[in-house]
Amino acid sequence: MSAAPRADDARDVDVVCLGESMVTFVPSRPGRLADVPAFSRGIGGAESNVACSLARVGHTARWISRVGADGFGDHLVAEIAAAGVDVSYVRRDPDRPTGVYFRTAGERAVDEGGGGGEGDEGGDGELSEVVYYRAGSAAAAMSPELVPREQGWSGRVLHLTGITAALSDGCRALLRELTTRAPGRPLVSFDVNYRTKLWRGGGAGRLLDLARGCDLVFVGEDEAGAAWGLRGAAAIRAALPEPEVLVVKQGSAGATAYARRPGGGDEVTCEPAPRVEVVAAVGAGDAFAAGFLSGSLRGLTVAERLRHGHLMAAAALTVPGDLGAPPAREHADGLVALDAGAWGTLRLAPGWTDAGPVSAEVATP
């Protein structure tokens, strides 16, 4: 199967995820940030979200980053470790702080899709008001000098996102180093995660260059339009022919995967997303990537990987925070195995991941 993770006994974890995580503050009630009197604390970060989701479904995952030598850094490392993620390569910076951000609850009406296209960590087009305090953060100081390549390449898969590339020149240099094709490189997964707030000075073309050097790429159809002026999945594939697998997320419509055939050309697979009763439109794209990567690690078909991505996205969309408890593997596998008609009737509501094995309740509208 295309973009299969490398099997190598010397690699001690399934997936390495590298990037910034921040402490997030969510209002205790709906309303503008200016009007809310209190906030609850959580964590947010595209790469650590993927690592936590993978660990929770039974894979070994490592998160690499830098955090401040402060209480927020303590909280981040403890929470991510509690999800079962290896944090042994996280470094503390005595001179720079841990990043934080505040967001509203996104209480306006949302499109009820599970395709993983909804905003993650304050993405454009999402329904939350977001304010970042991340400039000069500890994670922004990452560079090839501070993060040795052998650490980034220590797993069967290395997962990166375009958010890291926007943080600093050093971070961009690190991503170029880690995505350079060379002997010993693992499968490199890249989620474009375009954020106009982070690329206001331009430079979205750098994301396209980075994506071209990777084996598996995730990109939202909407963000490809915003970043590169591309319209439609076929146009995105034409601009990104290099990755062995390209996954174009299409929100409530689902997702389309282009997987290169050994003899040339692509196998094109489309899977619709189930209907989802959305609680908060955050974290879905990260969860989708984790579900697809989990299926890749298990050697599943591309269609099955897409469905697992949709289900993991639905788990995130049906909870208030960035991370939803994923369904048990038996439950997810049962849903993924449904025929097209039954899959098309799925409607997933809050609490659906606790349903256990597939039931008539879950598998009908």
Tab-separated table of all heavy atoms in Angstrom, residues 81-138:
chain	number	residue	atom	x	y	z
A	81	ALA	N	1.803	13.660	28.653
A	81	ALA	CA	2.333	12.390	29.146
A	81	ALA	C	1.217	11.507	29.697
A	81	ALA	O	1.239	10.278	29.534
A	81	ALA	CB	3.388	12.642	30.223
A	82	ALA	N	0.220	12.118	30.337
A	82	ALA	CA	-0.888	11.357	30.908
A	82	ALA	C	-1.712	10.647	29.834
A	82	ALA	O	-2.385	9.649	30.117
A	82	ALA	CB	-1.792	12.272	31.732
A	83	ALA	N	-1.655	11.152	28.594
A	83	ALA	CA	-2.356	10.497	27.492
A	83	ALA	C	-1.584	9.292	26.963
A	83	ALA	O	-2.064	8.595	26.066
A	83	ALA	CB	-2.592	11.487	26.362
A	84	GLY	N	-0.390	9.041	27.511
A	84	GLY	CA	0.412	7.911	27.083
A	84	GLY	C	1.482	8.249	26.067
A	84	GLY	O	2.077	7.360	25.451
A	85	VAL	N	1.756	9.546	25.890
A	85	VAL	CA	2.742	9.997	24.911
A	85	VAL	C	4.117	10.107	25.567
A	85	VAL	O	4.245	10.597	26.695
A	85	VAL	CB	2.324	11.364	24.318
A	85	VAL	CG1	3.387	11.911	23.378
A	85	VAL	CG2	0.981	11.243	23.613
A	86	ASP	N	5.146	9.686	24.860
A	86	ASP	CA	6.532	9.837	25.324
A	86	ASP	C	6.942	11.303	25.186
A	86	ASP	O	6.927	11.861	24.081
A	86	ASP	CB	7.433	8.937	24.480
A	86	ASP	CG	8.915	9.073	24.823
A	86	ASP	OD1	9.250	9.782	25.797
A	86	ASP	OD2	9.741	8.475	24.101
A	87	VAL	N	7.312	11.932	26.290
A	87	VAL	CA	7.715	13.344	26.279
A	87	VAL	C	9.190	13.507	26.643
A	87	VAL	O	9.626	14.601	27.010
A	87	VAL	CB	6.831	14.176	27.233
A	87	VAL	CG1	5.391	14.173	26.770
A	87	VAL	CG2	6.939	13.664	28.672
A	88	SER	N	9.973	12.441	26.495
A	88	SER	CA	11.361	12.468	26.959
A	88	SER	C	12.237	13.413	26.149
A	88	SER	O	13.312	13.814	26.614
A	88	SER	CB	11.954	11.059	26.932
A	88	SER	OG	11.926	10.513	25.620
A	89	TYR	N	11.810	13.779	24.939
A	89	TYR	CA	12.599	14.695	24.118
A	89	TYR	C	12.111	16.142	24.199
A	89	TYR	O	12.605	17.001	23.467
A	89	TYR	CB	12.600	14.243	22.656
A	89	TYR	CG	13.430	13.006	22.370
A	89	TYR	CD1	13.312	12.348	21.152
A	89	TYR	CD2	14.318	12.496	23.304
A	89	TYR	CE1	14.066	11.209	20.872
A	89	TYR	CE2	15.067	11.374	23.044
A	89	TYR	CZ	14.944	10.722	21.822
A	89	TYR	OH	15.693	9.605	21.559
A	90	VAL	N	11.156	16.415	25.064
A	90	VAL	CA	10.708	17.800	25.265
A	90	VAL	C	11.741	18.520	26.124
A	90	VAL	O	12.171	18.009	27.157
A	90	VAL	CB	9.328	17.843	25.950
A	90	VAL	CG1	8.909	19.286	26.215
A	90	VAL	CG2	8.287	17.144	25.090
A	91	ARG	N	12.140	19.705	25.701
A	91	ARG	CA	13.141	20.474	26.425
A	91	ARG	C	12.526	21.725	27.032
A	91	ARG	O	11.611	22.325	26.481
A	91	ARG	CB	14.295	20.865	25.486
A	91	ARG	CG	15.066	19.658	24.954
A	91	ARG	CD	15.820	18.950	26.079
A	91	ARG	NE	16.489	17.740	25.616
A	91	ARG	CZ	16.040	16.516	25.821
A	91	ARG	NH1	14.882	16.336	26.468
A	91	ARG	NH2	16.717	15.462	25.394
A	92	ARG	N	13.063	22.135	28.202
A	92	ARG	CA	12.600	23.330	28.900
A	92	ARG	C	13.521	24.503	28.577
A	92	ARG	O	14.739	24.372	28.602
A	92	ARG	CB	12.581	23.092	30.420
A	92	ARG	CG	11.902	21.805	30.871
A	92	ARG	CD	10.467	21.712	30.405
A	92	ARG	NE	9.607	22.645	31.073
A	92	ARG	CZ	8.848	22.332	32.152
A	92	ARG	NH1	8.865	21.115	32.653
A	92	ARG	NH2	8.080	23.252	32.705
A	93	ASP	N	12.913	25.637	28.274
A	93	ASP	CA	13.670	26.838	27.927
A	93	ASP	C	13.610	27.809	29.105
A	93	ASP	O	12.533	28.294	29.459
A	93	ASP	CB	13.072	27.487	26.677
A	93	ASP	CG	13.949	28.580	26.098
A	93	ASP	OD1	14.514	29.367	26.875
A	93	ASP	OD2	14.057	28.659	24.858
A	94	PRO	N	14.750	28.138	29.720
A	94	PRO	CA	14.724	29.013	30.893
A	94	PRO	C	14.469	30.475	30.557
A	94	PRO	O	14.168	31.273	31.462
A	94	PRO	CB	16.124	28.836	31.489
A	94	PRO	CG	16.985	28.492	30.306
A	94	PRO	CD	16.115	27.666	29.401
A	95	ASP	N	14.560	30.844	29.278
A	95	ASP	CA	14.473	32.260	28.902
A	95	ASP	C	13.208	32.628	28.140
A	95	ASP	O	12.906	33.816	27.986
A	95	ASP	CB	15.685	32.641	28.038
A	95	ASP	CG	17.000	32.386	28.752
A	95	ASP	OD1	17.102	32.749	29.939
A	95	ASP	OD2	17.912	31.810	28.127
A	96	ARG	N	12.463	31.637	27.646
A	96	ARG	CA	11.274	31.922	26.843
A	96	ARG	C	10.065	31.247	27.458
A	96	ARG	O	10.173	30.163	28.013
A	96	ARG	CB	11.473	31.443	25.399
A	96	ARG	CG	12.624	32.137	24.678
A	96	ARG	CD	12.847	31.519	23.305
A	96	ARG	NE	13.921	32.188	22.580
A	96	ARG	CZ	15.197	31.894	22.690
A	96	ARG	NH1	15.584	30.934	23.527
A	96	ARG	NH2	16.112	32.551	21.992
A	97	PRO	N	8.877	31.845	27.307
A	97	PRO	CA	7.685	31.290	27.962
A	97	PRO	C	6.996	30.217	27.131
A	97	PRO	O	7.225	30.080	25.924
A	97	PRO	CB	6.777	32.517	28.082
A	97	PRO	CG	7.112	33.318	26.857
A	97	PRO	CD	8.601	33.141	26.661
A	98	THR	N	6.122	29.483	27.778
A	98	THR	CA	5.201	28.592	27.098
A	98	THR	C	4.090	29.431	26.473
A	98	THR	O	3.579	30.357	27.101
A	98	THR	CB	4.581	27.601	28.107
A	98	THR	OG1	5.638	26.885	28.757
A	98	THR	CG2	3.648	26.629	27.422
A	99	GLY	N	3.716	29.127	25.242
A	99	GLY	CA	2.647	29.875	24.578
A	99	GLY	C	1.289	29.576	25.186
A	99	GLY	O	1.029	28.475	25.706
A	100	VAL	N	0.403	30.558	25.127
A	100	VAL	CA	-0.980	30.381	25.576
A	100	VAL	C	-1.903	31.016	24.542
A	100	VAL	O	-1.496	31.868	23.758
A	100	VAL	CB	-1.247	31.009	26.965
A	100	VAL	CG1	-0.337	30.401	28.024
A	100	VAL	CG2	-1.071	32.521	26.921
A	101	TYR	N	-3.164	30.578	24.537
A	101	TYR	CA	-4.159	31.274	23.718
A	101	TYR	C	-5.535	31.160	24.366
A	101	TYR	O	-5.801	30.266	25.174
A	101	TYR	CB	-4.155	30.795	22.270
A	101	TYR	CG	-4.737	29.438	21.968
A	101	TYR	CD1	-6.033	29.307	21.460
A	101	TYR	CD2	-3.982	28.278	22.101
A	101	TYR	CE1	-6.562	28.074	21.129
A	101	TYR	CE2	-4.490	27.038	21.769
A	101	TYR	CZ	-5.785	26.940	21.283
A	101	TYR	OH	-6.292	25.706	20.962
A	102	PHE	N	-6.373	32.104	24.007
A	102	PHE	CA	-7.737	32.181	24.502
A	102	PHE	C	-8.683	32.054	23.315
A	102	PHE	O	-8.441	32.629	22.250
A	102	PHE	CB	-7.990	33.533	25.193
A	102	PHE	CG	-7.185	33.739	26.452
A	102	PHE	CD1	-5.835	34.072	26.385
A	102	PHE	CD2	-7.769	33.611	27.697
A	102	PHE	CE1	-5.088	34.268	27.530
A	102	PHE	CE2	-7.034	33.807	28.851
A	102	PHE	CZ	-5.687	34.143	28.774
A	103	ARG	N	-9.770	31.322	23.487
A	103	ARG	CA	-10.761	31.233	22.419
A	103	ARG	C	-12.165	31.169	23.003
A	103	ARG	O	-12.364	30.752	24.142
A	103	ARG	CB	-10.524	30.007	21.537
A	103	ARG	CG	-10.756	28.662	22.222
A	103	ARG	CD	-10.677	27.536	21.189
A	103	ARG	NE	-10.776	26.217	21.800
A	103	ARG	CZ	-11.922	25.617	22.091
A	103	ARG	NH1	-13.067	26.233	21.871
A	103	ARG	NH2	-11.922	24.405	22.625
A	104	THR	N	-13.124	31.621	22.180
A	104	THR	CA	-14.517	31.511	22.586
A	104	THR	C	-15.012	30.108	22.273
A	104	THR	O	-14.297	29.277	21.699
A	104	THR	CB	-15.380	32.548	21.850
A	104	THR	OG1	-15.189	32.385	20.443
A	104	THR	CG2	-14.986	33.960	22.242
A	105	ALA	N	-16.254	29.845	22.621
A	105	ALA	CA	-16.779	28.488	22.509
A	105	ALA	C	-17.312	28.162	21.125
A	105	ALA	O	-17.742	27.046	20.879
A	105	ALA	CB	-17.884	28.281	23.549
A	106	GLY	N	-17.319	29.132	20.208
A	106	GLY	CA	-17.818	28.862	18.867
A	106	GLY	C	-19.283	28.501	18.861
A	106	GLY	O	-19.692	27.475	18.341
A	107	GLU	N	-20.099	29.383	19.495
A	107	GLU	CA	-21.488	29.020	19.737
A	107	GLU	C	-22.402	29.213	18.542
A	107	GLU	O	-23.556	28.820	18.552
A	107	GLU	CB	-22.036	29.847	20.912
A	107	GLU	CG	-22.153	31.351	20.654
A	107	GLU	CD	-20.844	32.067	20.887
A	107	GLU	OE1	-19.845	31.415	21.197
A	107	GLU	OE2	-20.818	33.304	20.743
A	108	ARG	N	-21.920	29.810	17.440
A	108	ARG	CA	-22.774	30.011	16.275
A	108	ARG	C	-23.001	28.703	15.523
A	108	ARG	O	-22.282	27.733	15.704
A	108	ARG	CB	-22.132	31.049	15.333
A	108	ARG	CG	-22.262	32.458	15.855
A	108	ARG	CD	-21.499	33.427	14.974
A	108	ARG	NE	-20.071	33.369	15.256
A	108	ARG	CZ	-19.155	33.890	14.462
A	108	ARG	NH1	-19.512	34.466	13.337
A	108	ARG	NH2	-17.879	33.819	14.790
A	109	ALA	N	-23.988	28.706	14.638
A	109	ALA	CA	-24.330	27.491	13.895
A	109	ALA	C	-23.145	27.030	13.063
A	109	ALA	O	-22.414	27.835	12.497
A	109	ALA	CB	-25.517	27.758	12.979
A	110	VAL	N	-22.958	25.724	12.980
A	110	VAL	CA	-21.840	25.172	12.222
A	110	VAL	C	-22.347	24.122	11.257
A	110	VAL	O	-23.431	23.573	11.396
A	110	VAL	CB	-20.784	24.530	13.160
A	110	VAL	CG1	-20.205	25.568	14.079
A	110	VAL	CG2	-21.375	23.387	13.958
A	111	ASP	N	-21.544	23.844	10.242
A	111	ASP	CA	-21.841	22.793	9.279
A	111	ASP	C	-21.619	21.458	9.956
A	111	ASP	O	-20.555	21.191	10.506
A	111	ASP	CB	-20.886	22.958	8.085
A	111	ASP	CG	-21.189	22.001	6.957
A	111	ASP	OD1	-22.196	21.296	7.048
A	111	ASP	OD2	-20.418	21.997	5.987
A	112	GLU	N	-22.613	20.583	9.918
A	112	GLU	CA	-22.545	19.337	10.669
A	112	GLU	C	-21.825	18.245	9.893
A	112	GLU	O	-22.387	17.207	9.563
A	112	GLU	CB	-23.957	18.863	11.026
A	112	GLU	CG	-24.668	19.776	12.011
A	112	GLU	CD	-26.025	19.229	12.405
A	112	GLU	OE1	-26.597	18.449	11.632
A	112	GLU	OE2	-26.499	19.576	13.484
A	113	GLY	N	-20.581	18.446	9.585
A	113	GLY	CA	-19.806	17.430	8.876
A	113	GLY	C	-18.702	16.891	9.743
A	113	GLY	O	-18.242	17.558	10.652
A	114	GLY	N	-18.262	15.678	9.469
A	114	GLY	CA	-17.173	15.081	10.229
A	114	GLY	C	-15.899	14.934	9.436
A	114	GLY	O	-15.050	14.148	9.787
A	115	GLY	N	-15.768	15.679	8.346
A	115	GLY	CA	-14.665	15.448	7.430
A	115	GLY	C	-13.332	16.004	7.863
A	115	GLY	O	-12.361	15.921	7.137
A	116	GLY	N	-13.250	16.588	9.038
A	116	GLY	CA	-11.954	17.044	9.496
A	116	GLY	C	-11.535	18.353	8.894
A	116	GLY	O	-10.379	18.744	9.001
A	117	GLY	N	-12.442	19.078	8.266
A	117	GLY	CA	-12.063	20.346	7.674
A	117	GLY	C	-12.319	21.521	8.588
A	117	GLY	O	-11.939	22.639	8.293
A	118	GLU	N	-12.979	21.303	9.710
A	118	GLU	CA	-13.289	22.397	10.608
A	118	GLU	C	-12.027	22.906	11.286
A	118	GLU	O	-11.036	22.205	11.397
A	118	GLU	CB	-14.304	21.945	11.671
A	118	GLU	CG	-15.681	21.668	11.134
A	118	GLU	CD	-15.769	20.384	10.349
A	118	GLU	OE1	-14.848	19.560	10.440
A	118	GLU	OE2	-16.761	20.222	9.644
A	119	GLY	N	-12.109	24.135	11.806
A	119	GLY	CA	-10.897	24.786	12.290
A	119	GLY	C	-10.248	24.104	13.470
A	119	GLY	O	-10.905	23.749	14.427
A	120	ASP	N	-8.947	23.958	13.412
A	120	ASP	CA	-8.168	23.437	14.520
A	120	ASP	C	-7.333	24.554	15.098
A	120	ASP	O	-6.725	25.323	14.380
A	120	ASP	CB	-7.180	22.351	14.048
A	120	ASP	CG	-7.886	21.181	13.451
A	120	ASP	OD1	-8.920	20.800	13.992
A	120	ASP	OD2	-7.402	20.655	12.436
A	121	GLU	N	-7.279	24.626	16.397
A	121	GLU	CA	-6.372	25.530	17.083
A	121	GLU	C	-6.437	26.933	16.492
A	121	GLU	O	-5.447	27.575	16.173
A	121	GLU	CB	-4.940	24.983	16.976
A	121	GLU	CG	-4.011	25.578	17.979
A	121	GLU	CD	-2.630	25.770	17.402
A	121	GLU	OE1	-2.250	25.113	16.448
A	121	GLU	OE2	-1.928	26.629	17.942
A	122	GLY	N	-7.666	27.426	16.316
A	122	GLY	CA	-7.808	28.796	15.862
A	122	GLY	C	-7.633	28.983	14.379
A	122	GLY	O	-7.205	30.020	13.939
A	123	GLY	N	-7.985	28.006	13.573
A	123	GLY	CA	-7.816	28.116	12.131
A	123	GLY	C	-8.785	29.095	11.509
A	123	GLY	O	-9.829	29.403	12.048
A	124	ASP	N	-8.441	29.583	10.332
A	124	ASP	CA	-9.289	30.514	9.635
A	124	ASP	C	-10.544	29.798	9.168
A	124	ASP	O	-10.511	28.669	8.749
A	124	ASP	CB	-8.536	31.100	8.450
A	124	ASP	CG	-7.246	31.730	8.923
A	124	ASP	OD1	-7.338	32.714	9.664
A	124	ASP	OD2	-6.159	31.220	8.590
A	125	GLY	N	-11.678	30.494	9.216
A	125	GLY	CA	-12.933	29.898	8.841
A	125	GLY	C	-13.608	29.211	10.004
A	125	GLY	O	-14.732	28.769	9.894
A	126	GLU	N	-12.939	29.079	11.124
A	126	GLU	CA	-13.588	28.469	12.267
A	126	GLU	C	-14.474	29.500	12.936
A	126	GLU	O	-14.477	30.674	12.592
A	126	GLU	CB	-12.565	27.909	13.246
A	126	GLU	CG	-11.888	28.951	14.098
A	126	GLU	CD	-11.056	28.313	15.179
A	126	GLU	OE1	-10.362	27.338	14.914
A	126	GLU	OE2	-11.107	28.813	16.305
A	127	LEU	N	-15.259	29.076	13.888
A	127	LEU	CA	-16.314	29.914	14.426
A	127	LEU	C	-15.969	30.496	15.782
A	127	LEU	O	-16.825	31.042	16.456
A	127	LEU	CB	-17.598	29.072	14.512
A	127	LEU	CG	-18.018	28.504	13.157
A	127	LEU	CD1	-19.121	27.494	13.309
A	127	LEU	CD2	-18.417	29.614	12.215
A	128	SER	N	-14.721	30.400	16.185
A	128	SER	CA	-14.311	30.912	17.483
A	128	SER	C	-13.482	32.181	17.335
A	128	SER	O	-12.766	32.364	16.359
A	128	SER	CB	-13.457	29.864	18.226
A	128	SER	OG	-14.201	28.700	18.471
A	129	GLU	N	-13.595	33.052	18.329
A	129	GLU	CA	-12.700	34.207	18.452
A	129	GLU	C	-11.452	33.707	19.163
A	129	GLU	O	-11.539	33.095	20.229
A	129	GLU	CB	-13.403	35.290	19.265
A	129	GLU	CG	-12.585	36.538	19.506
A	129	GLU	CD	-13.287	37.493	20.457
A	129	GLU	OE1	-14.428	37.191	20.872
A	129	GLU	OE2	-12.684	38.520	20.798
A	130	VAL	N	-10.293	33.959	18.586
A	130	VAL	CA	-9.049	33.407	19.126
A	130	VAL	C	-8.021	34.511	19.273
A	130	VAL	O	-7.845	35.339	18.382
A	130	VAL	CB	-8.483	32.300	18.205
A	130	VAL	CG1	-7.168	31.757	18.754
A	130	VAL	CG2	-9.491	31.176	18.048
A	131	VAL	N	-7.341	34.525	20.432
A	131	VAL	CA	-6.243	35.461	20.672
A	131	VAL	C	-5.038	34.656	21.131
A	131	VAL	O	-5.105	33.912	22.113
A	131	VAL	CB	-6.606	36.515	21.738
A	131	VAL	CG1	-5.421	37.439	21.988
A	131	VAL	CG2	-7.822	37.328	21.304
A	132	TYR	N	-3.927	34.786	20.395
A	132	TYR	CA	-2.705	34.059	20.717
A	132	TYR	C	-1.732	34.928	21.517
A	132	TYR	O	-1.611	36.127	21.263
A	132	TYR	CB	-1.967	33.657	19.437
A	132	TYR	CG	-2.648	32.621	18.592
A	132	TYR	CD1	-3.212	32.959	17.366
A	132	TYR	CD2	-2.691	31.289	18.991
A	132	TYR	CE1	-3.816	32.001	16.567
A	132	TYR	CE2	-3.288	30.331	18.199
A	132	TYR	CZ	-3.858	30.695	16.995
A	132	TYR	OH	-4.443	29.749	16.206
A	133	TYR	N	-1.014	34.279	22.425
A	133	TYR	CA	0.149	34.870	23.086
A	133	TYR	C	1.283	33.857	22.942
A	133	TYR	O	1.602	33.110	23.859
A	133	TYR	CB	-0.163	35.183	24.555
A	133	TYR	CG	-1.235	36.238	24.709
A	133	TYR	CD1	-2.572	35.872	24.817
A	133	TYR	CD2	-0.920	37.597	24.698
A	133	TYR	CE1	-3.569	36.840	24.920
A	133	TYR	CE2	-1.911	38.569	24.809
A	133	TYR	CZ	-3.223	38.179	24.914
A	133	TYR	OH	-4.208	39.146	25.010
A	134	ARG	N	1.850	33.832	21.726
A	134	ARG	CA	2.862	32.819	21.414
A	134	ARG	C	4.132	33.423	20.820
A	134	ARG	O	5.116	32.705	20.625
A	134	ARG	CB	2.280	31.788	20.443
A	134	ARG	CG	2.192	32.281	19.016
A	134	ARG	CD	1.337	31.428	18.095
A	134	ARG	NE	1.599	30.001	18.101
A	134	ARG	CZ	0.848	29.116	17.435
A	134	ARG	NH1	-0.184	29.550	16.721
A	134	ARG	NH2	1.120	27.832	17.481
A	135	ALA	N	4.139	34.715	20.503
A	135	ALA	CA	5.334	35.326	19.928
A	135	ALA	C	6.503	35.195	20.910
A	135	ALA	O	6.366	35.482	22.099
A	135	ALA	CB	5.086	36.794	19.609
A	136	GLY	N	7.644	34.744	20.412
A	136	GLY	CA	8.806	34.577	21.278
A	136	GLY	C	8.708	33.408	22.228
A	136	GLY	O	9.422	33.351	23.236
A	137	SER	N	7.830	32.450	21.934
A	137	SER	CA	7.649	31.309	22.831
A	137	SER	C	8.845	30.363	22.771
A	137	SER	O	9.679	30.420	21.859
A	137	SER	CB	6.382	30.540	22.462
A	137	SER	OG	6.554	29.880	21.210
A	138	ALA	N	8.898	29.466	23.732
A	138	ALA	CA	9.983	28.479	23.768
A	138	ALA	C	9.989	27.624	22.514
A	138	ALA	O	11.043	27.315	21.950
A	138	ALA	CB	9.838	27.608	25.015
